[in-house]
Amino acid sequence: MLTHLSVRDFVIVDALDLDLGPGLTVLTGETGAGKSILVDALQLALGGRGDAGAIRDGAARAEVAAGFDAPAALAGWLDEHGFAPRTGRDESEDTGAGATLLLRRTVDSQGKSRAWINGSPATVSQLREVADALVDIHGQHAWQSLTRAAAVRDIVDAYAGVDTAPLAAAWAAWRNASDVLASARGRQGDLDRERERLAWQLADVDKLAPREGEWAELDAEHQ
């Protein structure tokens, strides 16, 4: 669940901090009030497209941070990629509550983007991976979970009551074995090429048929 959204110098927003409580939250307002800007800001934090056009006029960069209650489904992914969950909603606060997942993204005036997950540097693609487990945005030109093959598989497997863990383990083992085989074949190819090179050099030496002590004589003549 989204618990906090912090926006700085994004489009027309100077500074905004929004805390969300449990249950349903509705943002209302007339056309042009800025509702869609908050959605765009959230999408930026989730790995959406970011460029210099997102920066408020006169500012050096735009920054968006989004805090979530860390879902259990992401625990393995976070551990694997070194983004350990922490408590509190910002780096200076420890509420003692459950683990919080913090996504942060900045875009500078050159269009360069930087991203963090729980305070550790991350890639935009990693933000997108996390987003798949956090938010489902329904709207024009926005992604929906049912358009993602992995989400559809999860729904079908859950409906069928299928435990995919053994298959996933077998697939991972096959991929690992396939990678090891490809690496071994690559090394064998390198050895074959090296053997051919050495054989060619030895053939050249055989053609020259140097006699014992000839190198010293040639070297003396050269001097």
Side-chain angles (χ1 to χ4, degrees):
M1 171 182 142
L2 178 65
T3 59
H4 182 75
L5 183 64
S6 177
V7 183
R8 298 289 184 273
D9 296 318
F10 182 77
V11 189
I12 61 172
V13 177
D14 178 8
L16 180 144
D17 291 287
L18 180 64
D19 289 307
L20 304 173
L24 175 67
T25 297
V26 179
L27 302 178
T28 64
E30 62 184 12
T31 300
K35 302 182 297 296
S36 62
I37 291 179
L38 294 182
V39 176
D40 291 341
L42 179 59
Q43 286 182 320
L44 183 67
L46 295 172
R49 181 175 177 272
D51 53 41
I55 303 174
R56 186 176 63 87
D57 286 344
R61 69 176 187 177
E63 178 177 344
V64 178
F68 296 85
D69 291 329
L74 274 178
W77 188 94
L78 293 171
D79 287 340
E80 178 183 352
H81 293 82
F83 302 119
R86 60 182 183 78
T87 58
R89 292 183 178 177
D90 58 51
E91 297 178 357
S92 62
E93 177 187 5
D94 186 353
T95 63
T100 296
L101 179 61
L102 178 63
L103 310 182
R104 180 168 165 251
R105 179 101 177 268
T106 64
V107 179
D108 65 21
S109 58
Q110 302 300 316
K112 295 181 180 179
S113 171
R114 298 182 64 189
W116 295 263
I117 297 177
N118 284 343
S120 297
T123 65
V124 174
S125 61
Q126 286 174 326
L127 286 183
R128 295 193 189 108
E129 287 186 61
V130 172
D132 288 345
L134 294 175
V135 174
D136 201 14
I137 297 179
H138 299 265
Q140 190 176 16
H141 308 306
W143 66 84
Q144 299 180 19
S145 63
L146 287 178
T147 64
R148 299 193 292 271
V152 175
R153 280 197 305 270
D154 290 341
I155 293 173
V156 174
D157 292 339
Y159 181 78
V162 175
D163 181 9
T164 61
L167 179 59
W171 167 253
W174 180 86
R175 284 292 300 273
N176 181 64
S178 179
D179 291 342
V180 170
L181 177 60
S183 177
R185 285 174 172 168
R187 291 195 301 271
Q188 183 61 50
D190 292 339
L191 291 174
D192 290 341
R193 286 187 289 272
E194 179 66 7
R195 183 170 60 250
E196 291 176 2
R197 184 183 69 84
L198 293 174
W200 174 75
Q201 291 178 341
L202 286 171
D204 273 358
V205 172
D206 290 340
K207 289 178 183 178
L208 291 172
R211 66 180 185 276
E212 186 176 355
E214 185 177 358
W215 174 255
E217 295 174 8
L218 292 173
D219 187 52
E221 183 180 347
H222 176 72
Q223 293 297 330

